[in-house]
Amino acid sequence: MEAQQILPRFCPKSSLAPSVPLVKQSFSLMCPPLPSSSSYPSVQSGAFPAISIVRREVCSSSWRRVWCSSSSGAEPKEGHEVTVRRKKLAVFVSGGGSNFRSIHEASKRGSLHGDVLVLVTNKSECGGAEYARNNGIPVILFPKAKDESNGLSPADLVDTLRKFEVDFILLAGYLKLIPAELIRAYQKSILNIHPSLLPAFGGMGYYGMKVHKAVIASGARFSGPTIHFVDEHYDTGRILAQRVVPVLANDTAEELAARVLNEEHQLYVEVVEAVCEERVVWRTDGVPLIQTKENPNEFR
Ligand code: GRF
């Protein structure tokens, strides 16, 4: 893949663009052609002549990534420096919120370069909302329940998220369709997690245990979570990350769900980590890739 085939680094707001000068970075993005399938293992540049090392320097609200390159055997020479601002996150939930909790805990223990500033839910009494309230995270109800007269419009929701200066929206078991206003306002900045290997077992009506029942009934031998960018339809946005979980011969839907959920917690934290560290790049065909921490020329 030619360096110019990679689009500029994933950047949620145009105001951030000047701090993320991809084209000026010292590393090369030359690597062999990527497989056409969306599920592939990490891609390593065979022809890439240098080893790239990422050094992070942690400070209160931002850290610097210093890309260093060296030809084999030589001492690393300091390359381009990028300051990565700490990101502000909104999480959307409708249920228990175990993915929300694992992301929030990762942030609290310092393994995420971002903070959950606000929780959005359509069910004010759900487990996720309760966890948010117990942890001092503001809860916004959207959309309003049928029996309530007042509620936020999609435009109000966008305004509210802008007031929190939210960079990324993370859907974690949020069962409502995201309004077009929000998709437009947060282009390439809304992620969802789905408990099957999309595009299989996704779309309207595939949620919760229905997904796992359908997987087992189909005879599929593998399932697992998918994290994708969100567009205006259910589960059709570009895939960013997947993890494979075996479907066992005697699995019940509940057993499979538990095995998949365990992987979801790890995968979502890893992906949010990458997003906060600005390690998502876009291929010219619109497929997002995650750079590994160690090497900007190696992708997951
Ligand atoms: C997860 O299985 C996720 O993939 C799906 O909804 C479920 C949410 O679980 N979108 P939790 O509320 O995070 O426990």
Side-chain angles (χ1 to χ4, degrees):
M1 179 183 292
E2 297 297 328
Q4 60 269 32
Q5 280 187 292
I6 301 278
L7 291 181
R9 186 178 297 277
F10 180 33
C11 187
K13 288 182 180 171
S14 54
S15 62
L16 286 177
S19 67
V20 193
L22 178 73
V23 287
K24 291 193 184 147
Q25 286 183 350
S26 61
F27 59 78
S28 156
L29 283 166
M30 303 254 287
C31 63
L34 295 171
S36 55
S37 159
S38 55
S39 64
Y40 43 80
S42 74
V43 179
Q44 183 135 26
S45 157
F48 184 60
I51 300 165
S52 295
I53 300 161
V54 183
R55 201 172 69 220
R56 299 154 168 209
E57 298 180 9
V58 181
C59 57
S60 59
S61 66
S62 64
W63 46 256
R64 263 178 340 129
R65 289 195 305 185
V66 184
W67 301 101
C68 303
S69 307
S70 73
S71 298
S72 52
E75 277 297 302
K77 264 175 57 185
E78 195 156 275
H80 187 81
E81 296 189 13
V82 183
T83 300
V84 178
R85 187 177 54 75
R86 199 168 170 86
K87 300 300 184 293
K88 296 177 179 173
L89 310 170
V91 182
F92 285 37
V93 306
S94 299
S98 66
N99 278 288
F100 163 42
R101 205 169 315 154
S102 66
I103 291 166
H104 181 246
E105 281 167 4
S107 166
K108 278 200 303 186
R109 69 172 176 266
S111 57
L112 279 188
H113 190 52
D115 301 294
V116 179
L117 291 204
V118 58
L119 181 96
V120 176
T121 184
N122 60 317
K123 293 196 172 166
S124 56
E125 299 310 316
C126 73
E130 193 185 338
Y131 175 85
R133 285 191 289 270
N134 291 340
N135 284 274
I137 298 170
V139 176
I140 295 174
L141 187 63
F142 182 87
K144 68 179 171 63
K146 282 196 185 100
D147 53 353
E148 282 179 45
S149 51
N150 293 320
L152 291 182
S153 68
D156 294 336
L157 177 64
V158 171
D159 282 351
T160 307
L161 296 175
R162 290 290 190 216
K163 281 188 187 124
F164 278 101
E165 299 180 333
V166 165
D167 296 300
F168 298 104
I169 294 170
L170 311 172
L171 310 186
Y174 184 69
L175 296 178
K176 295 286 178 184
L177 197 62
I178 298 299
E181 289 91 333
L182 197 55
I183 308 268
R184 278 197 296 273
Y186 280 89
Q187 297 261 331
K188 293 184 173 176
S189 305
I190 308 178
L191 292 170
N192 181 44
I193 187 158
H194 183 79
S196 74
L197 294 173
L198 291 174
F201 309 106
M204 189 130 162
Y206 279 111
Y207 59 89
M209 221 42 82
K210 291 184 183 188
V211 175
H212 304 292
K213 282 182 180 157
V215 168
I216 290 170
S218 76
R221 301 304 201 263
F222 296 99
S223 188
T226 298
I227 294 176
H228 62 94
F229 283 94
V230 172
D231 61 17
E232 57 280 9
H233 308 291
Y234 283 111
D235 304 327
T236 56
R238 294 293 185 147
I239 292 170
L240 179 60
Q242 292 185 310
R243 189 144 299 164
V244 174
V245 170
V247 181
L248 305 181
N250 298 321
D251 262 347
T252 62
E254 288 72 19
E255 286 164 345
L256 178 59
R259 203 175 311 118
V260 171
L261 191 62
N262 188 42
E263 291 299 324
E264 288 186 33
H265 296 157
Q266 295 169 41
L267 186 65
Y268 218 170
V269 167
E270 282 172 30
V271 167
V272 175
E273 203 181 328
V275 163
C276 290
E277 294 174 9
E278 299 173 8
R279 285 191 284 111
V280 175
V281 292
W282 292 80
R283 227 167 51 187
T284 44
D285 61 359
V287 169
L289 303 171
I290 294 178
Q291 294 172 319
T292 65
K293 287 187 191 192
E294 297 77 22
N295 186 343
N297 293 292
E298 187 181 303
F299 304 98
R300 291 196 190 286

